[in-house]
Amino acid sequence: MFKHVDPFIGTSETDLPAPTGLAATWWWPKPSVGNTHPGASYPLGMVSACAYSGGYPTGYGPYDLSTEGAPPRLHDGSLASGFTHFQQSGTGAIRKYYNYFRVSPMLEPLDVLGRDWELTEEEAAPGYYAATLDGGIRAELTVGPKSAVHRYTFPEHHDARVVVDFSMGGLKIPYGGTVPLRGHLESVAPGIAQGEIVVEGAPLAVHLECDVEGWRQMLWYDRRLMPGGTRLDLDHIRPTTLRPFGLMWAGPSVAGQTVELRVGFSLRGVDQARKNLRRDCDDRSPAFETRRERTAQEWRESLDSIRIETDDDRRQIFATALYHSLVKPSFAADESPFWPSKGPWVFDISTMWDIYRTQLPLLTALAPERAVELANALLTICEEEGNFPIGYRMARGSDRFSRQGSALAQTFLADLCQLGLPGIDWDWALVHMHNDLRRTYGEDFLLRGHAHPISHTLDLAFGYWCTAKVALRMGDRALVKEFEPLAAQWVNAFDAASGLLRDSTFYEGSKYNYSFRLLHDMAGRIDLAGGDDAFVQLLDDFFGYGADPVTQPGIDPGPDELAAGYALGRFEGLNNEPDMEAPWTYHYAGRPDRTAEVVHAIVQQQFGTGRGGLPGNDDSGGLSSWYVWASLGIFPIAGQNRFLVNAPSFAESEIRVGGEETFFVRTRGFREPEHDGPAQYVQSATLNGAPLDRTWLRGDELHRGGELVLELGDEPSAWGTARRPPSTPVR
């Protein structure tokens, strides 16, 4: 898969063929841009590195701040003022932004630091990014788990330089800057420097080594050199007093001369930053090629966890989706800056609301040991800070995004518990899962039986169901009995007259987008709507069966345009997260054929090759992991340890589950799908050679490996219409 990944997919506004059929009726309110970046990253690593333009939201690209419609541009072309670290991946609004320690290779005086150079000859592969600046400098970047290595190839010049700006972070948008509170840097020896900045409450330290024999090494402040200065201490910086500061290496270059800069990072001081660099680069000088190959090999192993049979374009789309699914969160063991103990620590959970349905189940399937590490990190965060986060960044305060959802960590933990994965103290986990349910919106839920925004009522009821699953495993039947009626309070979120959620406020969506979630009691949900036929009609209206095509919002849509779009009550495609699991609700009403049609339209019409190949924000892999599951024909029901089965997009695929076993999905009668062609439907199925008359798999059936064979045809069949997926009570 490695050679098929295109990290540029999703870096530009959506550019897909015009939708047809069902897909033409779906309305997209969120920005039609993937918000990804092509920079060097390590699988689930702490560090990334990419060209910096100040564009929204990763620091790469030409786009201005955008929360609805088509993204407006800051500039045309591909520009950069240098190369930064710690980019987000595919997120939307995250309030503050990283892009710390900008490195600018220059042929001009320090006075022009911050100017933009045009980028040409851009290249990217997993773990590698390269571009040429218009002054003729070739830049190449690679990263390790906690380090970055830069390599610059200079033309002949009498005064070339590599400048590191410690002071800069953020984006070129209003209120997008990050001002360091403190900064300390020093020259340690020729070619060696170190320092630390405190940004958003997090102390970020660096150890730098630069191979520039014969060049001068100098600190600078306010774009003025400090010849002979070896240390700069800024103990209290305010936005009004901030002046740029950093260090620089400068000297004459000959044509083709390379300069390598190695940077180790840590949130626990410069000594640990130095150790991290040693661990990542083995004292090598130069280290670029070795580090690049080691990171590439890590990506090869991660990406080879799934194999598919398909054509080159769709293989590229799939490989890139799998790649984007494994960029975040950022695992940084022993690096928490907020408490002194060693152990797992994870940041850039941006956010749980985006990834808990699809990306976390994918991580659990492909790398269960990393899922357990993430779970323990979440439990430590809850213990140290008081509750599970919804969003968690490298920042004190962490932008918890509590309005997005409640009790999402409980969903993730319940899956791990039901799978019986080792490495988690479930007594410890149960305490925090229980206590967390009582905080923030949980108080209203306990007092009134519901909470607004009303979607939190669904979250909390399911959170109690998930926590009861853990309590049952631990033998605490009293707690299970206490949670049963609380888990049943999902019904309080719905209006029986309409079969939809009650009127409320909603985070990025309307009551329609939140009304078709995969609940733990889907049989009760369907009864509330009036039975199978009434529920299917609600779904058909939602997915636009028989509806006219819609017009998508343009740049800066007005409130009336947005209100009219939301009033459609329509599926938002994969442009937004709230309804990304809705296509599979048809399974519970005995209509897997409808699921096949909707999923086929999404997979074939909303993902493509090229920079504009994503329909919306990738959101830390939430969108891409949806594509991975949907195209394989298996979809996780997060928290319920179950997977729903549908017609796949590939004739054959292999999933290496847990790094050891292989789960095969094979087909008979498969027809290569087309952009606007008809869907295929499952006619019959076998699992490990035995007939499978149900539309779902248990988690253990997937995780222990095996073979699923699906007979496909061009017409709906009776398969899966009689035996519905379970609606499971706590017991």
Side-chain angles (χ1 to χ4, degrees):
M1 286 290 182
F2 179 90
K3 67 179 181 180
H4 296 283
V5 173
D6 179 7
F8 289 103
I9 288 179
T11 60
S12 292
E13 60 190 296
T14 301
D15 184 17
L16 297 167
T20 62
L22 274 182
T25 71
W26 302 334
W27 183 73
W28 299 4
K30 286 183 69 178
S32 299
V33 58
N35 280 353
T36 59
H37 69 82
S41 63
Y42 186 90
L44 304 173
M46 174 177 169
V47 180
S48 57
C50 191
Y52 175 80
S53 68
Y56 180 87
T58 66
Y60 174 84
Y63 299 109
D64 200 351
L65 175 66
S66 175
T67 56
E68 293 100 7
R73 286 178 172 262
L74 286 169
H75 52 74
D76 293 322
S78 188
L79 304 176
S81 62
F83 303 90
T84 56
H85 309 86
F86 303 101
Q87 290 78 12
Q88 294 291 329
S89 180
T91 55
I94 56 169
R95 301 181 192 162
K96 286 287 187 176
Y97 310 86
Y98 298 156
N99 297 287
Y100 299 139
F101 297 107
R102 180 179 59 190
V103 181
S104 299
M106 301 171 60
L107 302 176
E108 299 94 334
L110 188 60
D111 286 336
V112 307
L113 181 67
R115 65 151 287 193
D116 289 324
W117 292 276
E118 184 177 354
L119 298 179
T120 57
E121 300 176 295
E122 282 189 285
E123 297 179 40
Y128 176 77
Y129 173 82
T132 300
L133 281 64
D134 60 22
I137 301 171
R138 180 66 173 172
E140 298 173 277
L141 310 175
T142 192
V143 297
K146 297 182 180 181
S147 66
V149 185
H150 300 235
R151 183 168 67 186
Y152 300 111
T153 303
F154 284 88
E156 182 177 359
H157 198 272
H158 68 280
D159 196 13
R161 61 195 69 205
V162 174
V163 181
V164 184
D165 187 343
F166 276 56
S167 65
M168 198 216 74
L171 305 177
K172 293 181 179 178
I173 62 173
Y175 314 110
T178 299
V179 175
L181 175 63
R182 288 179 288 278
H184 308 282
L185 62 155
E186 63 177 317
S187 291
V188 176
I192 301 176
Q194 63 187 24
E196 182 179 83
I197 54 174
V198 178
V199 279
E200 298 189 65
L204 180 57
V206 289
H207 176 85
L208 307 102
E209 297 180 357
C210 193
D211 294 340
V212 283
E213 187 175 349
W215 282 26
R216 296 165 294 157
Q217 177 175 318
M218 291 170 286
L219 306 183
W220 56 270
Y221 177 80
D222 199 14
R223 293 186 174 83
R224 294 295 177 264
L225 298 177
M226 301 169 60
T230 60
R231 184 175 180 90
L232 178 63
D233 294 300
L234 301 168
D235 293 325
H236 192 187
I237 304 170
R238 294 179 177 177
T240 54
T241 63
L242 175 67
R243 300 293 184 271
F245 61 93
L247 63 101
M248 178 181 81
W249 289 272
S253 62
V254 298
Q257 178 177 344
T258 60
V259 173
E260 182 175 285
L261 174 66
R262 298 178 295 279
V263 189
F265 297 94
S266 177
L267 290 147
R268 289 188 169 179
V270 295
D271 289 342
Q272 188 153 313
R274 182 179 63 255
K275 292 175 183 177
N276 289 342
L277 181 61
R278 293 287 179 270
R279 188 178 301 112
D280 283 6
C281 293
D282 300 327
D283 276 335
R284 294 178 185 269
S285 175
F288 189 91
E289 290 299 339
T290 301
R291 183 64 263 171
R292 177 186 176 184
E293 180 51 38
R294 287 169 61 186
T295 298
Q297 183 57 33
E298 290 292 332
W299 273 116
R300 288 188 188 97
E301 292 179 8
S302 296
L303 295 168
D304 283 346
S305 58
I306 303 180
R307 299 178 184 273
I308 58 172
E309 292 295 329
T310 189
D311 58 49
D312 286 346
D313 280 354
R314 290 197 294 136
R315 189 185 302 275
Q316 184 181 85
I317 297 168
F318 183 90
T320 306
L322 182 57
Y323 163 76
H324 281 144
S325 300
L326 299 174
V327 171
K328 300 287 183 178
S330 293
F331 284 66
D334 304 330
E335 292 288 350
S336 169
F338 309 125
W339 53 85
S341 59
K342 291 187 175 182
W345 190 65
V346 178
F347 64 93
D348 279 358
I349 302 171
S350 301
T351 62
M352 191 75 75
W353 185 72
D354 299 294
I355 65 176
Y356 83 97
R357 300 173 184 88
T358 54
Q359 196 255 4
L360 295 186
L362 185 63
L363 180 65
T364 303
L366 303 183
E369 73 286 351
R370 303 312 298 270
V372 168
E373 183 179 350
L374 173 59
N376 282 314
L378 289 170
L379 288 164
T380 303
I381 291 168
C382 189
E383 183 170 70
E384 293 282 350
E385 301 189 9
N387 58 277
F388 289 121
I390 301 300
Y392 196 82
R393 299 189 304 111
M394 187 175 63
R396 189 177 295 278
S398 308
D399 284 354
R400 294 182 183 277
F401 284 83
S402 58
R403 282 190 59 238
Q404 289 185 330
S406 296
L408 304 184
Q410 281 83 346
T411 300
F412 174 52
L413 291 165
D415 270 338
L416 302 185
C417 185
Q418 291 172 87
L419 285 168
L421 295 179
I424 298 173
D425 181 340
W426 287 110
D427 286 316
W428 177 48
L430 184 58
V431 169
H432 291 303
M433 293 173 74
H434 184 188
N435 290 344
D436 180 75
L437 287 166
R438 298 174 175 273
R439 299 186 176 112
T440 58
Y441 296 99
E443 296 179 5
D444 285 348
F445 182 85
L446 288 172
L447 288 171
R448 301 178 177 86
H450 65 271
H452 286 274
I454 203 67
S455 58
H456 288 257
T457 301
L458 302 182
D459 293 338
L460 289 160
F462 189 52
Y464 277 104
W465 185 90
C466 290
T467 306
K469 284 293 186 182
V470 177
L472 190 62
R473 179 181 176 87
M474 300 311 298
D476 192 337
R477 295 191 174 274
L479 202 58
V480 172
K481 186 175 181 179
E482 177 186 338
F483 286 176
E484 281 181 332
L486 295 170
Q489 288 184 172
W490 63 267
V491 71
N492 298 340
F494 285 93
D495 171 23
S498 68
L500 301 171
L501 286 177
R502 294 163 53 182
D503 289 334
S504 183
T505 58
F506 295 92
Y507 187 91
E508 294 185 358
S510 70
K511 66 181 179 182
Y512 297 94
N513 306 111
Y514 285 88
S515 285
F516 301 108
R517 288 175 52 172
L518 294 175
L519 307 179
H520 53 285
D521 185 9
M522 286 301 297
R525 166 73 182 96
I526 292 171
D527 287 345
L528 182 146
D532 287 347
D533 292 344
F535 186 67
V536 168
Q537 186 60 57
L538 286 173
L539 283 171
D540 284 353
D541 292 342
F542 178 64
F543 284 108
Y545 278 90
D548 293 329
V550 301
T551 301
Q552 303 300 345
I555 294 177
D556 194 22
D560 291 343
E561 182 181 359
L562 291 173
Y566 281 118
L568 292 170
R570 196 67 50 77
F571 181 55
E572 294 178 1
L574 263 288
N575 177 253
N576 202 359
E577 287 78 16
D579 48 18
M580 64 182 353
E581 60 191 357
W584 279 268
T585 54
Y586 279 115
H587 272 52
Y588 292 84
R591 294 298 303 271
D593 58 309
R594 287 293 209 228
T595 297
E597 292 161 2
V598 173
V599 171
H600 172 82
I602 300 170
V603 169
Q604 304 308 322
Q605 299 203 39
Q606 295 199 340
F607 293 84
T609 57
R611 292 182 179 237
L614 291 180
N617 300 169
D618 193 51
D619 286 312
S620 296
L623 184 72
S624 287
S625 54
W626 185 98
Y627 177 88
V628 170
W629 285 118
S631 60
L632 292 172
I634 304 170
F635 192 81
I637 313 177
Q640 298 188 45
N641 191 34
R642 192 171 296 123
F643 296 84
L644 298 178
V645 177
N646 181 46
S649 298
F650 311 121
E652 186 170 315
S653 59
E654 302 175 18
I655 309 167
R656 192 177 69 229
V657 286
E660 298 177 0
E661 305 297 335
T662 301
F663 190 86
F664 297 89
V665 181
R666 296 190 168 106
T667 62
R668 298 191 183 108
F670 178 82
R671 170 177 40 79
E672 289 292 337
E674 300 176 1
H675 169 262
D676 54 356
Q680 283 197 294
Y681 307 89
V682 178
Q683 309 294 304
S684 64
T686 63
L687 179 64
N688 300 326
L692 183 74
D693 64 350
R694 50 185 163 91
T695 60
W696 76 92
L697 304 173
R698 298 189 311 272
D700 64 287
E701 290 175 324
L702 175 73
H703 279 256
R704 70 182 175 219
E707 180 186 57
L708 175 67
V709 179
L710 301 172
E711 183 78 33
L712 303 181
D714 293 337
E715 299 294 334
S717 73
W719 178 79
T721 59
R723 191 175 175 190
R724 310 290 174 83
S727 291
T728 50
V730 173
R731 296 189 185 278

